[in-house]
Amino acid sequence: DAGITQSPRHKVTETGTPVTLRCHQTENHRYMYWYRQDPGHGLRLIHYSYGVKDTDKGEVSDGYSVSRSKTEDFLLTLESATSSQTSVYFCAIGDSNQPQHFGDGTRLSIL
Amino acid sequence: DQQVKQNSPSLSVQEGRISILNCDYTNSMFDYFLWYKKYPAEGPTFLISISSIKDKNEDGRFTVFLNKSAKHLSLHIVPSQPGDSAVYFCAAGDTGTASKLTFGTGTRLQVTL
């Protein structure tokens, strides 16, 4: 989707290092979400934002933090990466009662 | 506790026939439901949705049916085409909670020639 950009698209890092993933939107949507996709689990919500500086936890938030200082940017940070956080991470955007639209994902490997 | 379940991990259908993908949910607060399609190395793409005030919604070859009493929804694709081969995710939400969605684990559809 041209309105959502995730960076980086791929990253390999080591256990214990900090990692930040970025989601950038050009659609001016109110809500932004971070999900992780793992085999057998589908998509699970990590954190979401309902406005600038307004964020809340999702289903699997432990080990992750987020920040939203501008409408268009939503950052996901792994303070000290662990191998269990190896996953594909998707950002999504949306508005009330509208379907969420997803970015193309970031494949993160933690060795 | 899996609130949205897709019990069939995979489904194979011949081109031109009907594909039926199923989804069950447990949370009675869910009041809108969506289907997403996902190709490898891409993000999920919205396909079709239905509100709990309806029991059917159609969009071209795609129809979603909702049975609230059974807490069950299904996606029908007629006729199935090879380009429909993808992973399909069912999702459910409560419009009162920041439009958050809960996803199923997905069903991989293979449409064969």
Side-chain angles (χ1 to χ4, degrees):
Chain A
D1 192 320
I4 311 170
T5 305
Q6 291 187 234
S7 59
R9 292 295 315 279
H10 302 271
K11 186 171 182 68
V12 180
T13 190
E14 293 184 348
T15 301
T17 60
V19 177
T20 296
L21 307 183
R22 180 181 183 238
C23 178
H24 178 78
Q25 63 149 329
T26 57
E27 307 295 319
N28 201 35
H29 282 318
R30 176 184 178 188
Y31 298 108
M32 297 185 76
Y33 310 84
W34 278 107
Y35 293 88
R36 59 180 288 176
Q37 185 195 4
D38 303 290
H41 290 280
L43 290 148
R44 293 181 291 174
L45 183 65
I46 305 170
H47 281 280
Y48 66 100
S49 169
Y50 46 96
V52 173
K53 295 194 166 75
D54 292 322
T55 65
D56 206 348
K57 295 178 180 180
E59 178 188 355
V60 290
S61 59
D62 287 349
Y64 301 95
S65 62
V66 290
S67 66
R68 191 168 178 200
S69 58
K70 298 185 288 185
T71 299
E72 56 267 34
D73 288 326
F74 193 33
L75 304 180
L76 176 71
T77 297
L78 291 64
E79 301 289 349
S80 177
T82 68
S83 58
S84 65
Q85 294 175 311
T86 291
S87 188
V88 181
Y89 291 85
F90 289 100
C91 174
I93 63 175
D95 277 316
S96 297
N97 302 324
Q98 296 294 318
Q100 292 179 22
H101 295 279
F102 286 79
D104 282 335
T106 294
R107 184 172 293 276
L108 178 62
S109 296
I110 301 162
L111 307 177
Chain B
D1 176 29
Q2 192 93 36
Q3 295 188 66
V4 178
K5 299 179 185 179
Q6 294 178 255
N7 291 320
S8 298
S10 63
L11 175 68
S12 183
V13 171
Q14 268 191 322
E15 181 180 11
R17 308 292 284 264
I18 183 172
S19 295
I20 300 176
L21 295 90
N22 293 303
C23 179
D24 297 295
Y25 63 97
T26 57
N27 189 338
S28 56
M29 295 299 293
F30 290 146
D31 58 5
Y32 78 109
F33 306 88
L34 308 89
W35 285 95
Y36 283 82
K37 179 167 84 171
K38 186 183 180 305
Y39 294 119
E42 294 183 10
T45 302
F46 169 70
L47 200 53
I48 191 169
S49 63
I50 187 167
S51 160
S52 60
I53 62 173
K54 294 185 173 182
D55 55 18
K56 177 182 173 182
N57 189 27
E58 279 182 89
D59 184 1
R61 297 186 297 114
F62 302 91
T63 302
V64 56
F65 295 92
L66 176 63
N67 181 333
K68 288 188 292 294
S69 61
K71 293 190 174 68
H72 177 83
L73 65 155
S74 60
L75 174 69
H76 293 211
I77 306 174
V78 184
S80 301
Q81 298 174 353
D84 296 329
S85 297
V87 177
Y88 289 78
F89 289 100
C90 164
D94 169 3
T95 50
T97 58
S99 298
K100 290 190 298 181
L101 296 177
T102 301
F103 283 80
T105 52
T107 297
R108 182 178 301 278
L109 173 66
Q110 176 93 24
V111 179
T112 58
L113 298 174

